[in-house]
Amino acid sequence: MDISGIRSTGGFGPRRWRTLAAVAAAGIVLLSAGCSGGRSPSWQDGGSAGDGAGSGAAQSASPPPPESTVAVTSPESGATDVIAVTDVKYKSEDPENTSLTVTGADGKEVDGTLDKDDQVWHPSSALAYGETFTVKVNGTASGDKIGTASSTFTTMAKPSNLVRVSSFLGDNQTVGVGMPLIIKFGRSIPESYRDDVQRRMTVTAKPAQEGIWHWISPTEVHYRPKEYWKPYTKIFYKVQLAGVPMGDGWYGRSDLTVDMKIGRSFTMTVSNKTKKMTVKQDGTTIKTIPVSLGKKSTPSSSGTMVIIEKKRHTVFDTTDELPKEDAYRTEIDYAQRITWSGQFIHAAPWSEGVQGKENVSHGCVNVSMKMGEWLFSRTLMGDPITVSGTDRPLQNGNGWTDWNMSWSEYKKGSAI
């Protein structure tokens, strides 16, 4: 994979050569002084005309042109069918003073990042398909060129099998402190490819927080911090998957970026024992609300969930799902979904008389019409709610249950 410009690995390096040359020259001067009664010719002034000893010394002291000390190592020069997200690797004896450029067929330099420690260049985005690129490496030391190397490679043709990559969230959205970042793929990603995919998904939060990606399924990956997002955090995430291999001849279709933010901290905690919801905003309790949870035959789930969607008015219709004697069709106000299986926080005027005392719902968190409206006007998608004390543990995956796992459990879902 090495090309022309690789430095010689045999013999002495430039510094060693100069040292020996100086010693050899000094030896000639001493010999001349010992064999001549007159003025010895000096190698500094080149000696007199026709003096062979002095002339030879002068020639020995002149250093040869420096050897090439840089090389492109990958892709191999002349390589074809190179993936569009390829890194360019090189070697240099002096990486700090070495530069590298990649240019396209139009002669324009391609944007990328040069990592001098690892001696690798990373493209800022996927290279154009089916195009030839030229790599040039230049090494310098104290302003003197110590080596150059160049190579070319050609990227693969645009693949026909492309995987769609999408983000659930979009630019300028404001969400709750429990909101996971959600990326979905149009095709299952084999386990052996997930680590590379995950490395190309970066999250920047201000203020910074520790966090990690967790594979919910072969087609979906979430990101959450160790603790709830800090209020008013600004988040930018970048998914660079255009041209990235995703197994079985499939490649990522595109890159995407999202610039969003977290709102105030708003959390809800429901106790089956007290049958009350405690609402906190930015750490301060602002409301205690009587509730009615699921009755014995249809208990509510205990665990930490987040608000998935909000509907000012909707209809709950189970006539196609439950036996006729158990089915119902009911108009609902101020509905806020917290599980995929159909558990909501919602207004239930028919149960206001027993809220705070008895559980009569089908698994939902019932509140009064007044409190339903109050909550609905203040919540954001991603606000967390924790229910405790019921007979049904929340099943992971039944909603956005990222916070229903401990941090150590959550990290196990990372491919890295």
Side-chain angles (χ1 to χ4, degrees):
M1 297 172 67
D2 292 349
I3 66 167
S4 61
I6 303 177
R7 69 181 181 86
S8 171
T9 57
F12 299 107
R15 292 183 179 176
R16 176 66 171 156
W17 187 92
R18 292 189 181 98
T19 301
L20 292 178
V23 173
I28 292 173
V29 172
L30 291 174
L31 182 60
S32 298
C35 298
S36 172
R39 179 180 180 272
S40 63
S42 168
W43 62 269
Q44 285 91 344
D45 60 20
S48 59
D51 190 328
S55 176
Q59 292 175 1
S60 298
S62 299
E67 298 177 0
S68 177
T69 57
V70 296
V72 181
T73 60
S74 178
E76 184 177 357
S77 187
T80 59
D81 203 32
V82 175
I83 62 170
V85 290
T86 187
D87 290 333
V88 176
K89 300 179 181 179
Y90 66 100
K91 287 183 180 180
S92 173
E93 287 188 344
D94 186 9
E96 188 60 32
N97 294 302
T98 299
S99 62
L100 182 148
T101 59
V102 178
T103 54
D106 57 4
K108 293 182 179 180
E109 185 173 343
V110 179
D111 289 337
T113 303
L114 185 62
D115 185 336
K116 293 188 176 184
D117 290 332
D118 290 338
Q119 300 185 54
V120 61
W121 177 89
H122 306 285
S124 296
S125 58
L127 303 174
Y129 290 114
E131 186 171 321
T132 298
F133 294 85
T134 300
V135 183
K136 291 185 178 180
V137 184
N138 293 293
T140 59
S142 301
D144 297 325
K145 186 179 291 185
I146 60 171
T148 63
S150 65
S151 70
T152 62
F153 65 89
T154 303
T155 52
M156 64 186 292
K158 184 176 180 179
S160 56
N161 296 327
L162 296 172
V163 179
R164 183 171 181 268
V165 183
S166 60
S167 169
F168 180 81
L169 297 173
D171 286 337
N172 303 316
Q173 278 191 266
T174 300
V175 295
V177 295
M179 185 69 203
L181 310 182
I182 302 172
I183 299 296
K184 291 188 176 182
F185 306 99
R187 179 181 182 276
S188 295
I189 309 302
E191 284 190 35
S192 58
Y193 287 83
R194 293 179 196 171
D195 57 342
D196 191 39
V197 168
Q198 188 173 321
R199 287 188 180 93
R200 296 173 185 271
M201 302 190 300
T202 58
V203 178
T204 302
K206 295 182 180 180
Q209 287 184 248
E210 180 183 0
I212 200 167
W213 292 100
H214 175 100
W215 289 81
I216 301 296
S217 74
T219 60
E220 186 170 338
V221 61
H222 290 195
Y223 182 99
R224 58 155 270 203
K226 185 176 182 179
E227 306 292 342
Y228 287 150
W229 293 107
K230 295 176 182 177
Y232 312 108
T233 293
K234 293 181 179 179
I235 300 172
F236 174 79
Y237 57 102
K238 181 186 296 186
V239 179
Q240 292 183 281
L241 294 175
V244 174
M246 292 187 172
D248 302 324
W250 290 79
Y251 296 82
R253 175 181 292 177
S254 59
D255 297 339
L256 64 85
T257 62
V258 176
D259 202 341
M260 49 163 286
K261 61 183 178 181
I262 302 298
R264 76 290 170 270
S265 172
F266 191 94
T267 61
M268 296 160 281
T269 304
V270 178
S271 168
N272 184 40
K273 183 177 181 180
T274 63
K275 295 177 175 52
K276 287 182 172 59
M277 174 192 289
T278 301
V279 181
K280 291 186 177 183
Q281 183 165 324
D282 293 328
T284 299
T285 299
I286 60 172
K287 189 74 72 176
T288 301
I289 302 172
V291 302
S292 179
L293 298 176
K295 57 190 175 184
K296 188 173 182 180
S297 59
T298 55
S300 301
S301 296
S302 283
T304 299
M305 298 150 276
V306 301
I307 293 174
I308 297 171
E309 64 177 341
K310 299 174 62 172
K311 294 183 177 181
R312 167 64 183 80
H313 182 79
T314 189
V315 175
F316 288 177
D317 188 346
T318 65
T319 54
D320 292 333
E321 302 171 12
L322 298 177
K324 186 175 181 179
E325 61 272 17
D326 297 324
Y328 59 91
R329 189 179 188 278
T330 308
E331 293 188 357
I332 301 292
D333 289 314
Y334 306 115
Q336 305 190 66
R337 180 186 289 274
I338 55 177
T339 72
W340 300 126
S341 62
Q343 295 178 45
F344 289 74
I345 306 166
H346 67 83
W350 55 86
S351 69
E352 287 186 15
V354 297
Q355 290 171 11
K357 303 173 185 177
E358 185 180 352
N359 292 333
V360 297
S361 83
H362 290 88
C364 293
V365 180
N366 284 182
V367 297
S368 68
M369 183 67 76
K370 181 179 180 179
M371 288 298 95
E373 180 181 12
W374 183 87
L375 278 171
F376 195 89
S377 68
R378 286 164 173 77
T379 56
L380 294 171
M381 181 174 62
D383 282 339
I385 174 172
T386 300
V387 177
S388 64
T390 71
D391 294 334
R392 175 188 289 175
L394 175 65
Q395 183 179 4
N396 286 332
N398 186 15
W400 295 334
T401 55
D402 302 72
W403 298 101
N404 200 50
M405 287 177 270
S406 67
W407 179 238
S408 60
E409 289 176 315
Y410 199 77
K411 289 192 296 183
K412 292 177 182 178
S414 169
I416 299 177

